[in-house]
Amino acid sequence: MVRPLWDDDVPTLARLNDAAVPAVNALGTAGLRDHLPRCRLALVVDAGRGPEALLLALGPGADYASENYSWFSRERPGSLYVDRVVVAQRLRRLGVGRSLYAQVAAHAAEHGFEEVTCEVNLEPPNPDSLAFHRSLGFRTVGRQETKGGTVRVALMAVPTEHLARLGRPDRRRQG
């Protein structure tokens, strides 16, 4: 179900991404293609009907002009930054986001990232994303206004080890 992003996925994922504005910024097909080389992780969920979820993450030192990525580069250097998570409406609340973050946690642990970071919009509000990230253990480590003060975000982080535990079976329940 979770797999790497393929080049043929880009037009479909660009439409999915752009339909999620203002929770994420619009990229269009060309913008998504231009952004992918910066990404350390580019994952999709394909439940048999083509890609219906997307997660992009960047490591330190990427050439990315995002105000939020710049904040994390300064304040939380060495973190794995999740730039965006977009899940088709029909797949929400089915564990798709958790599956994507399990892959992020595995990658972060394998490559020595001590924490995973992201931002979630506070204004315009994105309460579902905020609740989802908190359920994964993300905590607010800062706030900032971006896009000339039109967007306010919660800057969030979770220790990789905590996030990785979410994908492991609880041995106490097995017997």
Coordinates of all heavy atoms in Angstrom, one line a residue, residues 55-128:
L55 N 3.2 11.8 0.9 CA 4.0 12.4 2.0 C 5.4 12.7 1.4 O 6.0 11.9 0.7 CB 4.2 11.4 3.2 CG 5.0 12.0 4.3 CD1 4.4 11.5 5.7 CD2 6.5 11.7 4.2
L56 N 5.8 14.0 1.6 CA 7.1 14.4 1.2 C 7.9 14.9 2.5 O 7.4 15.6 3.3 CB 7.0 15.6 0.2 CG 6.3 15.3 -1.1 CD1 6.2 16.6 -1.9 CD2 6.9 14.2 -1.8
A57 N 9.2 14.5 2.6 CA 10.0 14.8 3.7 C 11.4 15.3 3.2 O 11.9 14.7 2.2 CB 10.1 13.7 4.7
L58 N 12.0 16.2 3.9 CA 13.3 16.8 3.5 C 14.3 16.6 4.7 O 13.9 16.8 5.8 CB 13.2 18.2 3.1 CG 12.4 18.6 1.8 CD1 11.0 18.7 2.1 CD2 13.0 19.8 1.2
G59 N 15.5 16.3 4.3 CA 16.6 16.3 5.3 C 17.2 17.7 5.4 O 16.9 18.6 4.7
P60 N 18.2 17.8 6.3 CA 19.0 19.0 6.4 C 19.7 19.4 5.1 O 20.1 18.5 4.4 CB 20.0 18.7 7.5 CG 19.4 17.5 8.2 CD 18.7 16.7 7.2
G61 N 19.8 20.7 4.9 CA 20.6 21.2 3.8 C 19.9 21.2 2.5 O 20.6 21.5 1.5
A62 N 18.7 21.0 2.4 CA 17.9 21.0 1.1 C 17.8 22.5 0.7 O 17.8 23.4 1.5 CB 16.6 20.4 1.3
D63 N 17.9 22.7 -0.6 CA 17.7 24.0 -1.2 C 16.2 24.3 -1.3 O 15.6 24.1 -2.4 CB 18.4 24.0 -2.6 CG 18.3 25.4 -3.2 OD1 18.1 26.4 -2.5 OD2 18.5 25.5 -4.5
Y64 N 15.6 24.7 -0.2 CA 14.2 24.9 -0.1 C 13.9 26.2 0.6 O 14.3 26.4 1.7 CB 13.6 23.7 0.6 CG 12.1 23.7 0.6 CD1 11.3 24.1 -0.5 CD2 11.4 23.1 1.7 CE1 9.9 24.0 -0.5 CE2 10.0 23.1 1.7 CZ 9.3 23.5 0.6 OH 7.9 23.4 0.6
A65 N 13.2 27.1 -0.1 CA 13.0 28.5 0.4 C 11.8 28.6 1.4 O 11.4 29.7 1.7 CB 12.8 29.4 -0.7
S66 N 11.2 27.5 1.9 CA 10.1 27.5 2.8 C 10.5 28.2 4.1 O 11.5 27.9 4.7 CB 9.6 26.1 3.1 OG 8.9 26.0 4.3
E67 N 9.6 29.1 4.6 CA 9.8 29.8 5.9 C 9.8 28.8 7.0 O 10.6 28.9 8.0 CB 8.7 30.8 6.1 CG 8.8 32.0 5.2 CD 7.6 32.9 5.3 OE1 6.5 32.5 4.6 OE2 7.7 33.9 6.0
N68 N 9.0 27.7 6.9 CA 8.9 26.7 8.0 C 10.2 25.8 8.0 O 10.7 25.6 9.0 CB 7.6 25.9 7.8 CG 6.4 26.8 8.0 OD1 6.4 27.7 8.9 ND2 5.5 26.7 7.1
Y69 N 10.6 25.4 6.8 CA 11.8 24.6 6.7 C 13.0 25.4 7.2 O 13.8 24.8 7.9 CB 12.0 24.1 5.2 CG 13.3 23.3 5.1 CD1 13.4 22.0 5.5 CD2 14.4 23.9 4.5 CE1 14.5 21.3 5.3 CE2 15.6 23.2 4.3 CZ 15.6 21.9 4.7 OH 16.8 21.2 4.6
S70 N 13.0 26.7 6.9 CA 14.2 27.5 7.4 C 14.2 27.6 8.9 O 15.2 27.5 9.5 CB 14.0 28.9 6.8 OG 14.2 28.9 5.4
W71 N 13.0 27.7 9.5 CA 12.9 27.7 11.0 C 13.4 26.5 11.6 O 14.3 26.5 12.5 CB 11.4 28.0 11.4 CG 11.3 28.2 12.9 CD1 11.3 29.4 13.5 CD2 11.2 27.2 13.9 NE1 11.1 29.3 14.9 CE2 11.1 27.9 15.1 CE3 11.1 25.9 14.0 CZ2 11.0 27.3 16.4 CZ3 11.0 25.2 15.2 CH2 10.9 25.9 16.4
F72 N 13.0 25.3 11.0 CA 13.5 24.0 11.6 C 15.0 23.9 11.3 O 15.7 23.3 12.2 CB 12.7 22.9 11.0 CG 11.3 22.7 11.6 CD1 10.2 22.9 10.8 CD2 11.2 22.4 12.9 CE1 8.9 22.7 11.3 CE2 9.9 22.3 13.5 CZ 8.8 22.4 12.7
S73 N 15.5 24.4 10.2 CA 16.9 24.3 9.9 C 17.7 25.0 11.0 O 18.8 24.6 11.4 CB 17.2 24.8 8.5 OG 16.7 24.0 7.5
R74 N 17.2 26.2 11.4 CA 17.9 27.0 12.4 C 17.7 26.4 13.8 O 18.6 26.3 14.6 CB 17.3 28.4 12.4 CG 17.9 29.4 11.5 CD 17.4 30.8 11.8 NE 16.1 30.9 12.2 CZ 15.0 31.0 11.4 NH1 15.1 30.9 10.1 NH2 13.8 31.2 11.9
E75 N 16.4 26.1 14.2 CA 16.0 25.8 15.5 C 16.1 24.3 15.9 O 16.2 24.0 17.1 CB 14.6 26.3 15.8 CG 14.5 27.8 15.6 CD 15.3 28.7 16.5 OE1 15.6 28.2 17.7 OE2 15.7 29.7 16.1
R76 N 16.0 23.4 14.9 CA 16.0 22.0 15.2 C 16.9 21.3 14.1 O 16.4 20.4 13.4 CB 14.6 21.4 15.1 CG 13.5 22.1 15.9 CD 13.7 22.1 17.4 NE 13.2 20.9 18.0 CZ 12.8 20.9 19.3 NH1 12.9 22.0 20.0 NH2 12.3 19.8 19.8
P77 N 18.1 21.7 14.0 CA 19.0 21.2 13.0 C 19.1 19.7 13.1 O 19.1 19.1 14.2 CB 20.3 21.9 13.2 CG 20.3 22.3 14.6 CD 18.8 22.6 15.0
G78 N 19.2 19.0 12.0 CA 19.3 17.6 12.0 C 18.0 16.8 12.0 O 18.1 15.6 12.1
S79 N 16.9 17.5 12.0 CA 15.6 16.8 12.0 C 15.2 16.4 10.6 O 15.7 17.0 9.6 CB 14.5 17.7 12.7 OG 14.3 18.8 11.9
L80 N 14.4 15.4 10.5 CA 13.7 15.1 9.2 C 12.4 15.8 9.2 O 11.5 15.6 10.0 CB 13.5 13.5 9.2 CG 12.9 13.0 7.9 CD1 13.8 13.3 6.7 CD2 12.6 11.5 7.9
Y81 N 12.3 16.7 8.2 CA 11.2 17.6 8.1 C 10.1 17.1 7.1 O 10.4 16.8 6.0 CB 11.7 19.0 7.6 CG 10.6 20.0 7.2 CD1 9.8 20.6 8.2 CD2 10.4 20.3 5.9 CE1 8.9 21.5 7.8 CE2 9.5 21.2 5.5 CZ 8.7 21.8 6.5 OH 7.7 22.7 6.1
V82 N 8.9 16.8 7.6 CA 7.8 16.4 6.8 C 7.2 17.7 6.2 O 6.6 18.5 6.9 CB 6.8 15.6 7.6 CG1 5.6 15.3 6.7 CG2 7.4 14.3 8.1
D83 N 7.3 17.9 4.9 CA 6.9 19.0 4.2 C 5.4 19.0 4.0 O 4.7 20.0 4.1 CB 7.6 19.2 2.9 CG 7.2 20.4 2.1 OD1 7.3 21.5 2.7 OD2 6.8 20.2 0.9
R84 N 4.8 17.9 3.7 CA 3.4 17.8 3.5 C 2.9 16.3 3.5 O 3.6 15.4 3.2 CB 3.0 18.4 2.1 CG 3.5 17.7 0.9 CD 3.4 18.5 -0.4 NE 4.1 19.7 -0.3 CZ 3.7 20.9 -0.5 NH1 2.4 21.1 -0.9 NH2 4.4 22.0 -0.3
V85 N 1.7 16.2 4.0 CA 1.0 14.9 4.0 C -0.4 15.3 3.5 O -1.1 16.1 4.0 CB 0.8 14.3 5.4 CG1 0.0 13.1 5.4 CG2 2.1 14.2 6.1
V86 N -0.8 14.6 2.4 CA -2.1 14.8 1.8 C -2.8 13.4 1.6 O -2.1 12.6 1.0 CB -2.0 15.6 0.5 CG1 -3.4 15.8 -0.1 CG2 -1.2 16.9 0.6
V87 N -4.0 13.3 2.1 CA -4.7 12.0 2.0 C -6.0 12.3 1.4 O -6.8 13.2 1.8 CB -4.8 11.3 3.4 CG1 -5.6 10.0 3.3 CG2 -3.5 11.1 4.0
A88 N -6.4 11.5 0.4 CA -7.7 11.6 -0.3 C -8.8 11.5 0.8 O -8.7 10.7 1.7 CB -7.9 10.6 -1.4
Q89 N -9.9 12.2 0.6 CA -11.0 12.2 1.6 C -11.4 10.8 1.9 O -11.7 10.5 3.0 CB -12.1 13.1 1.0 CG -13.2 13.3 2.0 CD -12.8 14.2 3.2 OE1 -12.1 15.1 3.1 NE2 -13.3 13.8 4.4
R90 N -11.6 10.0 0.9 CA -12.2 8.6 1.1 C -11.3 7.7 1.9 O -11.7 6.7 2.5 CB -12.5 8.0 -0.2 CG -11.4 7.4 -1.0 CD -11.8 6.6 -2.2 NE -10.8 5.7 -2.7 CZ -10.6 4.5 -2.3 NH1 -11.4 3.9 -1.4 NH2 -9.6 3.7 -2.7
L91 N -10.0 8.1 2.1 CA -9.1 7.3 2.9 C -8.8 7.8 4.2 O -8.0 7.2 5.0 CB -7.8 7.1 2.1 CG -7.9 6.3 0.8 CD1 -6.5 6.1 0.2 CD2 -8.5 4.9 1.0
R92 N -9.3 9.0 4.6 CA -9.1 9.6 5.9 C -9.7 8.8 7.0 O -10.7 8.1 6.8 CB -9.6 11.0 5.9 CG -8.8 11.9 5.0 CD -9.1 13.3 5.1 NE -8.4 14.0 4.0 CZ -8.7 15.2 3.6 NH1 -9.8 15.9 4.1 NH2 -8.0 15.8 2.6
R93 N -9.0 8.7 8.1 CA -9.4 8.0 9.4 C -9.4 6.5 9.2 O -10.0 5.8 9.9 CB -10.7 8.5 9.8 CG -10.8 10.0 10.1 CD -12.1 10.4 10.8 NE -12.2 11.8 10.9 CZ -11.6 12.6 11.8 NH1 -10.9 12.1 12.7 NH2 -11.8 13.9 11.8
L94 N -8.5 6.0 8.2 CA -8.4 4.6 8.0 C -7.0 4.1 8.3 O -6.6 3.0 8.0 CB -8.8 4.2 6.6 CG -10.2 4.5 6.1 CD1 -10.4 4.2 4.7 CD2 -11.2 3.8 7.0
G95 N -6.2 5.0 8.9 CA -4.8 4.6 9.2 C -3.8 4.8 8.1 O -2.6 4.5 8.3
V96 N -4.2 5.5 7.1 CA -3.3 5.8 6.0 C -2.1 6.8 6.5 O -1.0 6.5 6.2 CB -4.0 6.4 4.8 CG1 -3.1 7.0 3.8 CG2 -4.9 5.4 4.2
G97 N -2.5 7.8 7.2 CA -1.5 8.7 7.7 C -0.5 8.0 8.6 O 0.7 8.3 8.6
R98 N -1.0 7.2 9.5 CA -0.1 6.4 10.4 C 0.8 5.5 9.6 O 2.0 5.4 10.0 CB -1.0 5.6 11.4 CG -1.5 6.4 12.5 CD -2.3 5.6 13.5 NE -2.7 6.4 14.6 CZ -2.0 6.7 15.7 NH1 -0.8 6.2 15.8 NH2 -2.5 7.5 16.6
S99 N 0.3 4.9 8.5 CA 1.2 4.0 7.7 C 2.3 4.9 7.1 O 3.4 4.4 7.0 CB 0.3 3.4 6.6 OG -0.6 2.5 7.2
L100 N 2.0 6.0 6.6 CA 3.0 6.9 6.0 C 4.0 7.3 7.1 O 5.2 7.2 6.9 CB 2.4 8.1 5.4 CG 1.6 7.9 4.1 CD1 0.7 9.1 3.8 CD2 2.6 7.6 3.0
Y101 N 3.5 7.7 8.3 CA 4.5 8.1 9.3 C 5.3 6.9 9.9 O 6.4 7.1 10.3 CB 3.7 8.8 10.4 CG 3.7 10.3 10.2 CD1 2.6 11.0 9.8 CD2 4.9 11.1 10.4 CE1 2.6 12.4 9.6 CE2 4.9 12.4 10.2 CZ 3.8 13.1 9.8 OH 3.8 14.4 9.6
A102 N 4.8 5.7 9.8 CA 5.6 4.5 10.2 C 6.8 4.4 9.2 O 7.9 4.1 9.7 CB 4.7 3.3 10.1
Q103 N 6.6 4.7 8.0 CA 7.7 4.7 7.0 C 8.7 5.8 7.3 O 9.9 5.7 7.2 CB 7.2 4.8 5.6 CG 6.4 3.6 5.1 CD 7.2 2.3 5.1 OE1 8.3 2.3 4.6 NE2 6.6 1.3 5.6
V104 N 8.2 7.0 7.7 CA 9.0 8.1 8.0 C 9.9 7.8 9.2 O 11.1 8.0 9.3 CB 8.2 9.4 8.3 CG1 9.0 10.5 9.0 CG2 7.5 9.9 7.0
A105 N 9.2 7.2 10.3 CA 10.0 6.8 11.5 C 11.1 5.8 11.2 O 12.2 5.9 11.7 CB 9.0 6.2 12.5
A106 N 10.8 4.8 10.3 CA 11.8 3.8 10.0 C 13.0 4.5 9.3 O 14.1 4.2 9.6 CB 11.2 2.7 9.1
H107 N 12.7 5.4 8.3 CA 13.7 6.1 7.6 C 14.5 7.0 8.6 O 15.8 7.0 8.5 CB 13.1 6.9 6.5 CG 14.1 7.7 5.7 ND1 14.8 7.1 4.6 CD2 14.6 8.9 5.8 CE1 15.6 8.0 4.1 NE2 15.6 9.1 4.8
A108 N 13.8 7.7 9.4 CA 14.5 8.6 10.4 C 15.4 7.8 11.3 O 16.6 8.2 11.5 CB 13.5 9.4 11.2
A109 N 15.0 6.7 11.8 CA 15.8 5.8 12.7 C 17.0 5.2 12.0 O 18.1 5.3 12.5 CB 14.9 4.7 13.3
E110 N 16.8 4.8 10.8 CA 17.8 4.1 10.0 C 18.9 5.1 9.6 O 20.1 4.8 9.6 CB 17.2 3.6 8.7 CG 18.3 2.9 7.8 CD 17.7 2.3 6.5 OE1 16.4 2.1 6.5 OE2 18.4 2.2 5.6
H111 N 18.6 6.4 9.5 CA 19.5 7.4 9.0 C 20.0 8.4 10.1 O 20.6 9.4 9.9 CB 19.0 8.2 7.8 CG 18.8 7.3 6.6 ND1 19.8 6.9 5.8 CD2 17.7 6.7 6.2 CE1 19.4 6.1 4.9 NE2 18.1 5.9 5.1
G112 N 19.6 8.0 11.4 CA 20.1 8.8 12.5 C 19.5 10.1 12.8 O 20.1 10.9 13.5
F113 N 18.3 10.3 12.3 CA 17.6 11.6 12.7 C 16.9 11.4 14.1 O 16.2 10.4 14.3 CB 16.5 11.9 11.7 CG 17.0 12.2 10.3 CD1 17.0 11.3 9.3 CD2 17.5 13.5 10.1 CE1 17.4 11.6 8.0 CE2 18.0 13.8 8.8 CZ 17.9 12.9 7.8
E114 N 17.2 12.3 15.0 CA 16.7 12.1 16.4 C 15.3 12.5 16.5 O 14.6 12.1 17.4 CB 17.6 12.9 17.3 CG 18.9 12.3 17.5 CD 19.8 12.9 18.6 OE1 19.2 13.7 19.4 OE2 21.0 12.7 18.6
E115 N 14.8 13.4 15.6 CA 13.4 13.8 15.6 C 12.9 14.1 14.2 O 13.6 14.3 13.3 CB 13.2 15.0 16.5 CG 13.8 16.3 16.1 CD 13.5 17.4 17.1 OE1 12.8 17.3 18.1 OE2 14.0 18.5 16.8
V116 N 11.5 14.0 14.2 CA 10.8 14.3 13.0 C 10.0 15.6 13.2 O 9.4 15.8 14.3 CB 9.8 13.2 12.6 CG1 9.0 13.5 11.4 CG2 10.6 11.9 12.3
T117 N 10.0 16.5 12.3 CA 9.3 17.8 12.5 C 8.3 18.1 11.3 O 8.4 17.5 10.3 CB 10.4 18.9 12.5 OG1 11.2 18.9 11.3 CG2 11.3 18.8 13.7
C118 N 7.4 19.0 11.6 CA 6.4 19.4 10.6 C 5.8 20.7 11.1 O 6.0 21.1 12.3 CB 5.4 18.3 10.4 SG 4.2 18.1 11.8
E119 N 4.9 21.3 10.3 CA 4.1 22.4 10.8 C 2.7 22.1 10.4 O 2.4 21.3 9.5 CB 4.6 23.7 10.2 CG 4.0 24.1 8.8 CD 4.8 23.4 7.7 OE1 6.0 22.9 8.0 OE2 4.3 23.4 6.6
V120 N 1.8 22.6 11.2 CA 0.3 22.5 11.0 C -0.3 23.9 11.0 O 0.0 24.7 12.0 CB -0.3 21.6 12.0 CG1 -1.8 21.5 11.8 CG2 0.3 20.2 11.9
N121 N -1.2 24.2 10.1 CA -1.8 25.5 10.1 C -2.7 25.7 11.3 O -3.5 24.8 11.6 CB -2.7 25.7 8.9 CG -1.9 26.0 7.6 OD1 -0.6 26.0 7.6 ND2 -2.6 26.1 6.5
L122 N -2.5 26.8 12.0 CA -3.4 27.3 13.0 C -4.4 28.3 12.5 O -5.6 28.3 12.9 CB -2.7 27.9 14.2 CG -1.7 27.0 14.9 CD1 -0.8 27.8 15.9 CD2 -2.4 25.9 15.6
E123 N -4.0 29.1 11.5 CA -4.8 30.0 10.8 C -4.3 30.1 9.4 O -3.2 30.5 9.1 CB -4.7 31.4 11.5 CG -5.7 32.4 11.1 CD -7.2 31.9 11.4 OE1 -7.4 31.4 12.5 OE2 -8.0 32.0 10.5
P124 N -5.1 29.7 8.4 CA -6.4 29.1 8.5 C -6.4 27.8 9.3 O -5.4 27.1 9.1 CB -7.0 28.9 7.1 CG -5.7 28.9 6.2 CD -4.7 29.7 7.0
P125 N -7.4 27.5 10.1 CA -7.3 26.4 11.0 C -7.3 25.0 10.3 O -8.0 24.9 9.3 CB -8.5 26.5 11.9 CG -9.4 27.5 11.2 CD -8.6 28.3 10.3
N126 N -6.6 24.1 10.8 CA -6.6 22.7 10.3 C -6.7 21.8 11.5 O -5.7 21.1 11.8 CB -5.3 22.5 9.5 CG -5.4 21.2 8.7 OD1 -6.2 20.3 8.9 ND2 -4.5 21.0 7.7
P127 N -7.8 21.8 12.2 CA -7.9 21.0 13.5 C -7.7 19.5 13.3 O -7.2 18.9 14.2 CB -9.3 21.4 14.0 CG -10.1 21.8 12.8 CD -9.0 22.5 11.8
D128 N -8.1 19.0 12.2 CA -8.0 17.5 12.0 C -6.5 17.1 11.9 O -6.1 16.2 12.5 CB -8.7 17.0 10.7 CG -10.2 17.1 10.8 OD1 -10.7 17.2 12.0 OD2 -10.9 17.1 9.8

